[in-house]
Amino acid sequence: MPIAKPRHILIDVGHPADLHRFRHFAAELRDRGWTCLIVAKDKDVLLPLLEAFQLPYVVLAANKGGLLRKVVGLPAALWRFYRLARRFQPGIAVSSASLHCSWICALRRIPHLAFIDTEPRRLVDALTLPFLQAKITPLAYQRDLGANHIRYAGNHELAYLHPQRFRPDPAIRSELGLSEDEPFAVVRFVAWKASHDVGLRHMNEAERLQLLQRMAAHKRVFVVSEERLAECFQPYLFPLPPERLHQALAFADLYVGEGITMASEAAVLGTPAVLLNSLRMGYCIEAEKAGMLFSFPFLNAGAEKKIAELLHMPDIKAAFRPKHQAYLQDKIDVTEFMVKLVTGDW
């Protein structure tokens, strides 16, 4: 087996949230003289984001929707990942505990650190956790992962939205065609094709459109979606490149959506969030306790009442500012933590 190159790091990303989590981390390591290679799946807006952030990457595979298609495509992904690892010879790898990264790193004896925040993935965890050198989670993570489980005071979103990393840009309002004080909201729809989404109740097309129409009667609404939407949704679509979305989320009055990660992003940025998803993640429960997030299993009467209440709240961002400050008070710069963890520079 070729000797691994200790300052070569392989970063496996399968979702836009993974890229955001690791992009500042990769940039800092490159500034320290490390060689980074990002292995990505062609999912959602992941490849346009990689181009926008000018990070070196190779495409592992297209994302397969549905559990059966993922299983069928796994052998090819494993073989391609093996060849990439053999050619790049990383001294270490980081991921969100993907199957291909966990198995191939174990086979090639590459130390593999996994950043995990999703509790309802027990099947994937059973197939990956035994092969990891470290399992790294937020303090709010609700499970005990046994040996080499490392917890930190924060969440994955603080790797790129911590005040040390993110600077709100007021120009986003003019880019969106808004006046200086014009209120607006962001809505997120997901594809419901992840393994942990199977069997969950969610809005149909008519319910989604009705939600947007009700919200648009009070504020401008911008929609981002994991899958292509019908023509009737086109007037609501977020009109800017995906790398500008967090700026919009920072200045929005409200987030409503099915996306769990984006609900947490909104809370971190000081934007109250209404989450329409029955999955219960520890980091979202933490944001709920802080009063920044309101969670409902689907668009039920309680969710509609809370959305209406928030839509009518005057100066909503100022009202939530004390809660936001308290929520972030004890949180760390997660990118700094990640860099120190990998380099040993404590």
Side-chain angles (χ1 to χ4, degrees), residues 134-168:
K135 310 143 195 171
I136 304 148
T137 74
L139 278 175
Y141 187 80
Q142 295 183 300
R143 293 168 52 199
D144 180 356
L145 299 182
N148 302 320
H149 184 180
I150 301 169
R151 297 179 184 266
Y152 64 88
N155 55 41
H156 287 357
E157 292 69 51
L158 282 164
Y160 51 98
L161 297 179
H162 189 278
Q164 300 261 22
R165 304 286 165 182
F166 180 82
R167 294 289 181 271

Side-chain angles (χ1 to χ4, degrees), residues 6 16 40 56 58 86 92 98 107 154-155 174 176 205 229 232 271 277 293 299 307 323 325-326 343 345:
V58 294
R86 184 177 61 183
I92 192 169
S98 66
L107 181 65
N155 55 41
S174 61
L176 290 170
E205 184 177 284
L229 297 174
C232 56
T271 300
N277 196 309
L293 188 152
L299 186 63
I307 292 168
K323 296 179 181 180
Q325 292 171 344
T343 63
D345 185 19

Side-chain angles (χ1 to χ4, degrees), residues 19-165:
L19 173 61
H20 286 303
R21 180 182 317 135
F22 293 127
R23 61 187 174 91
H24 291 293
F25 167 74
E28 289 213 7
L29 288 179
R30 291 174 71 190
D31 289 345
R32 293 173 177 234
W34 286 58
T35 301
C36 302
L37 177 65
I38 295 175
V39 180
K41 282 187 177 180
D42 187 357
K43 177 180 173 62
D44 197 5
V45 295
L46 181 51
L47 300 190
L49 284 172
L50 281 160
E51 292 292 340
F53 296 134
Q54 299 181 331
L55 294 169
Y57 72 94
V58 294
V59 178
L60 178 70
N63 184 62
K64 303 292 184 180
L67 184 58
L68 179 60
R69 294 182 66 190
K70 292 178 187 294
V71 171
V72 171
L74 183 58
L78 287 168
W79 174 240
R80 180 159 173 75
F81 197 91
Y82 175 84
R83 292 177 62 192
L84 289 168
R86 184 177 61 183
R87 182 164 64 247
F88 184 61
Q89 298 175 30
I92 192 169
V94 298
S95 80
S96 297
S98 66
L99 281 171
H100 48 268
C101 191
S102 300
W103 291 356
I104 298 306
C105 285
L107 181 65
R108 294 191 58 81
R109 300 179 185 176
I110 300 167
H112 178 199
L113 312 184
F115 292 83
I116 303 166
D117 67 353
T118 304
E119 288 91 348
R121 43 169 277 167
R122 291 179 181 272
L123 175 59
V124 175
D125 285 348
L127 297 171
T128 59
L129 296 189
F131 305 103
L132 304 177
Q133 276 61 59
K135 310 143 195 171
I136 304 148
T137 74
L139 278 175
Y141 187 80
Q142 295 183 300
R143 293 168 52 199
D144 180 356
L145 299 182
N148 302 320
H149 184 180
I150 301 169
R151 297 179 184 266
Y152 64 88
N155 55 41
H156 287 357
E157 292 69 51
L158 282 164
Y160 51 98
L161 297 179
H162 189 278
Q164 300 261 22
R165 304 286 165 182

